[in-house]
Amino acid sequence: MQRRRAAPVSMTCTTASPGQPVVQSIDVARVRRDTPGCEQVVHFNNAGASLTPAPALEAAMAHLRLETRIGGYEAAEEAQARHAAVYRSIAALLNASPEEIALSDSATRAWRLAFQSLPIPPGGKILTTRASYASNFIAFLHRARKDGLEIDIAPCNEAGDLDLEAFERRIDERVALIALTHIPTNGAAVYPAEAVGQIARKQGVPYLLDACQSAGQRPLDVTRIGCDMLSATGRKFLRGPRGTGFLYVRRAFLNRLEPPMPDLHSATWTAPDEYRPANDMRAFEMWESSMAMQLGLGAAVDYALDIGLDAIRSRVQALAARLRERLRALPGVCVRDTGTEQCGIVTFDMARAAAEEAKARLREQSMHVTVSLPSHTLLDAMERRLPPMVRASVHYYNTASEIDRFCEAISRISSRDA
Ligand SMILES: *Cc1c(COP(=O)(O)O)cnc(C)c1O
């Protein structure tokens, strides 16, 4: 069956010079019309939760209405084909196969299930970086205490990029897992997922990628990245509803895992003293889930695929670069982003206004950001001596004029004008 598509987004093609791939440009007016929230707010909190496009909202609402009309179980039966298409959409996003996808209610749950499923003997090491997301690192600490594991932090160079040679040198026979955060929650840096994948393959070490901030923001191809497991959330750059996420596990890697939460969906009770775990990705799901939200996620993924992830990445990077440039020109504003390759997340602080205060003042003007606290990425915050920062994260439906308005507001806040 064909992947189900949201209403097509019309696109114009820029003329490409010979030999260059044709870069699709985004019909911004159209995507803004599809995003009712654009009329109300300047939403620079896409790394927190993006504004959902109308087709994703409608897919979720239609199912909720169906549940109301005929009952939840009956609605699930009627939506079976559409629900199966959600797996195909996510697989298309990742260049994976639908059988390699499990749906989840968050990135953390998906990531955690993968992490907990991987047997690691006492004394085994987890190799990670200072960009680790708090929840992931808390899970490392939890298992370090419970199972006697060690955590090893690979260094970054002065530019803030991962030192790949040092990374590879740290691999010995005790390293049982490479756990990388593709894009940290607190800044622009894009970590070299593919180069790490090459090292992981060469050294034969399992590789778990947290793609929470990259999914929907840039192309992701699990065969090129070479990861064994990947997790992401629905609500961030993918623009799906809250309470959604997914896990990818490479087919040949699945039998290495022991999923920790079997229920009657992820296992079958076969005898009074026996059950049989599912031998596919259902092993990571539970029976109860929000089909409406998952259908919304599927529609959001289709929407992103229709626009094209290359086009999304280009526009997001261009908008973020403009935002950084404008902010750097403002006195008393310190842009904190590092990394040779940068994404749509922009972080900064101000000499004369605290991040929380700036967020509140912006909110009064219907401009949305969030505050990135040191405890969200503690290792990075300690190494770079980061204060609480304003995190402004742009998406392709944002505009240059929104950036200009935003920077005017920041200029007033930072100079403590009314
Ligand atoms: C937001 C985030 C998560 C957690 O996603 P949830 O859906 O809230 O569980 C994990 N990793 C990174 C890098 C994030 O930014």
Side-chain angles (χ1 to χ4, degrees):
M1 197 206 278
Q2 280 274 298
R3 182 166 62 75
R4 289 182 60 86
R5 283 170 171 260
V9 177
S10 67
M11 283 173 294
T12 51
C13 288
T14 55
T15 36
S17 43
Q20 293 261 303
V22 176
V23 177
Q24 309 267 9
S25 72
I26 297 173
D27 182 344
V28 177
R30 168 74 192 264
V31 294
R32 286 179 70 80
R33 275 199 303 280
D34 286 343
T35 308
C38 285
E39 305 229 328
Q40 322 285 325
V41 295
V42 172
H43 195 71
F44 288 177
N45 190 12
N46 297 289
S50 189
L51 299 178
T52 301
L57 172 68
E58 191 38 49
M61 294 296 283
H63 191 75
L64 286 176
R65 282 193 293 267
L66 187 63
E67 287 182 343
T68 310
R69 228 172 40 241
I70 66 170
Y73 286 27
E74 294 74 12
E77 281 169 16
E78 291 202 359
Q80 224 165 26
R82 263 174 294 137
H83 194 247
V86 176
Y87 294 84
R88 284 200 292 280
S89 298
I90 294 169
L93 180 77
L94 303 178
N95 191 25
S97 110
E99 296 78 42
E100 294 174 311
I101 306 299
L103 295 176
S104 161
D105 55 5
S106 75
T108 300
R109 178 108 55 198
W111 184 95
R112 190 73 178 244
L113 279 170
F115 176 61
Q116 295 294 145
S117 296
L118 184 72
I120 303 178
K125 281 199 276 194
I126 300 159
L127 179 57
T128 189
T129 75
R130 73 181 196 202
S132 288
Y133 186 68
S135 301
N136 302 2
F137 207 86
I138 289 167
F140 297 152
L141 292 171
H142 177 79
R143 262 190 102 173
R145 269 179 218 154
K146 201 163 65 68
D147 302 340
L149 307 187
E150 283 176 32
I151 308 163
D152 194 11
I153 315 295
C156 287
N157 61 25
E158 263 151 43
D161 293 324
L162 189 62
D163 181 338
L164 285 163
E165 281 169 23
F167 189 90
E168 184 157 14
R169 275 199 303 276
R170 290 174 108 91
I171 296 180
D172 59 23
E173 67 294 339
R174 284 171 61 206
V175 173
L177 175 68
I178 290 171
L180 186 76
T181 296
H182 195 184
I183 294 175
T185 199
N186 71 332
V190 180
Y191 276 67
E194 278 185 36
V196 167
Q198 279 167 13
I199 294 171
R201 290 240 162 137
K202 185 169 143 211
Q203 304 282 350
V205 180
Y207 175 21
L208 167 57
L209 183 66
D210 177 340
C212 201
Q213 294 293 3
S214 44
Q217 184 181 179
R218 54 193 291 116
L220 284 174
D221 180 334
V222 289
T223 65
R224 289 185 60 172
I225 293 171
C227 55
D228 299 298
M229 302 162 279
L230 176 151
S231 57
T233 205
R235 71 177 187 278
K236 296 183 179 175
F237 286 93
L238 274 175
R239 309 185 65 198
R242 293 201 66 172
T244 56
F246 57 84
L247 174 67
Y248 154 85
V249 176
R250 191 165 60 82
R251 196 195 314 266
F253 193 75
L254 185 60
N255 61 11
R256 301 269 301 268
L257 300 178
E258 296 167 8
M261 294 248 299
D263 77 341
L264 82 180
H265 173 81
S266 51
T268 309
W269 193 13
T270 50
D273 59 353
E274 258 176 43
Y275 71 90
R276 189 179 61 241
N279 59 3
D280 58 18
M281 288 300 283
R282 302 297 77 73
F284 297 97
E285 297 182 341
M286 295 194 89
W287 189 81
E288 175 58 355
S289 63
S290 173
M291 201 175 225
M293 296 309 130
Q294 292 172 348
L295 290 167
L297 171 63
V301 171
D302 290 343
Y303 193 85
L305 290 171
D306 280 333
I307 294 172
L309 274 301
D310 281 307
I312 291 174
R313 171 173 55 187
S314 307
R315 182 166 168 85
V316 167
Q317 280 182 333
L319 287 171
R322 180 190 180 102
L323 176 55
R324 273 183 215 108
E325 189 189 306
R326 293 288 158 100
L327 288 170
R328 283 201 187 99
L330 298 176
V333 174
C334 180
V335 175
R336 297 284 186 165
D337 294 320
T338 58
T340 302
E341 187 178 0
Q342 299 194 322
C343 71
I345 300 177
V346 179
T347 48
F348 61 97
D349 62 311
M350 282 163 281
R352 298 176 68 190
E356 278 296 351
E357 181 197 344
K359 177 187 155 187
R361 296 266 316 266
L362 289 164
R363 183 73 203 276
E364 286 163 10
Q365 303 167 61
S366 300
M367 297 189 193
H368 297 170
V369 295
T370 186
V371 172
S372 197
L373 293 175
S375 62
H376 294 174
T377 37
L378 189 66
L379 299 176
D380 190 41
M382 286 173 67
E383 196 154 322
R384 294 201 282 140
R385 299 173 196 280
L386 295 174
M389 300 181 293
V390 177
R391 183 183 71 180
S393 44
V394 295
H395 216 331
Y396 60 80
Y397 62 78
N398 291 127
T399 63
S401 77
E402 286 182 323
I403 288 173
D404 296 347
R405 276 170 59 202
F406 178 82
C407 290
E408 282 160 26
I410 290 295
S411 172
R412 285 192 300 272
I413 291 167
S414 138
S415 60
R416 308 207 70 91
D417 288 352

